[in-house]
Amino acid sequence: MAKLPRLTDHRAEKLLLKAGFEMIRSKGSHRIYKKGDRRIVVPFHGGKILHPKIVKQVLKTIND
């Protein structure tokens, strides 16, 4: 299996926005993005690298 890219919260946000998602709301340090019936939550913690599970969810959501 290929290695996942290392993404920061800001880079993940750029990818989601470019794919047509829009931020619907923010609660604490988490931002919720939606496109159609697909929804994803991205944690924003000061530019830190996202956990590989979160990166996998973001990439899967964009590619579906």
Side-chain angles (χ1 to χ4, degrees), residues 18-54:
K18 191 173 183 180
F21 284 80
E22 60 181 63
M23 186 175 81
I24 56 172
R25 65 187 174 95
S26 177
K27 183 171 183 174
S29 61
H30 293 77
R31 294 183 185 173
I32 295 93
Y33 298 90
K34 188 172 184 179
K35 178 181 178 183
D37 63 341
R38 293 181 289 168
R39 183 180 68 115
I40 186 150
V41 179
V42 178
F44 271 71
H45 296 290
K48 291 184 179 178
I49 302 294
L50 294 174
H51 190 278
K53 287 183 180 180
I54 302 293

